[in-house]
Structures are given as C-alpha cells and as structure tokens.
Amino acid sequence: MADWTEAELAALRRAYASGTSRVSYDGKTVDYGSAEDLLGRIRTIERQIAGTKARPTAGFAGFSRGDR
C-alpha cells in the first residue's frame, strides 16, 4: 500500500475540478491521459485513506426456506 498525502489528493481534486489532466504537487508533475484516469486515481486514494481510518463492520446474515 502506498502512502498518499492530503496534498496529493487536494492537487488531484483541484486538477479534476478545473478540467486539466496535469497535476503538480510536492515538486512532482504527473500527466493523466483523461479525466476518467484522474478520477480513478482520486477514488483509489480516497478508498485507501478511508480503509485506514474506518473500522470493519459486521453484518447480519439471514435466510428463508420460503415455505413458512
């Protein structure tokens, strides 16, 4: 798992909002092929950040035989 920074995520969001595919942060510049690529990167980082902060939740499984 990579260590993402809030600066990187903020830069990606700004670039996506402005419609550009070139992102610069922390002295680095990355060109993304399309807005979809950029949005995919944003979503990946958001999921990974959320995964490190969120606790797993348990569910309740149920079933029915259908005859009662």
Side-chain angles (χ1 to χ4, degrees):
M1 176 195 297
D3 293 324
W4 312 110
T5 65
E6 290 295 327
E8 179 180 5
L9 183 56
L12 290 167
R13 287 177 175 159
R14 279 192 306 274
Y16 184 76
S18 69
T20 185
S21 61
R22 178 175 286 198
V23 180
S24 298
Y25 61 92
D26 295 336
K28 303 172 192 170
T29 300
V30 180
D31 286 314
Y32 289 90
S34 67
E36 290 79 24
D37 293 342
L38 183 56
L39 185 58
R41 179 68 160 198
I42 291 169
R43 297 296 181 239
T44 298
I45 295 172
E46 287 173 340
R47 277 193 305 271
Q48 296 221 348
I49 289 173
T52 60
K53 294 180 182 176
R55 294 185 53 145
T57 58
F60 179 76
F63 64 93
S64 173
R65 292 180 19 184
D67 60 346
R68 297 182 186 188

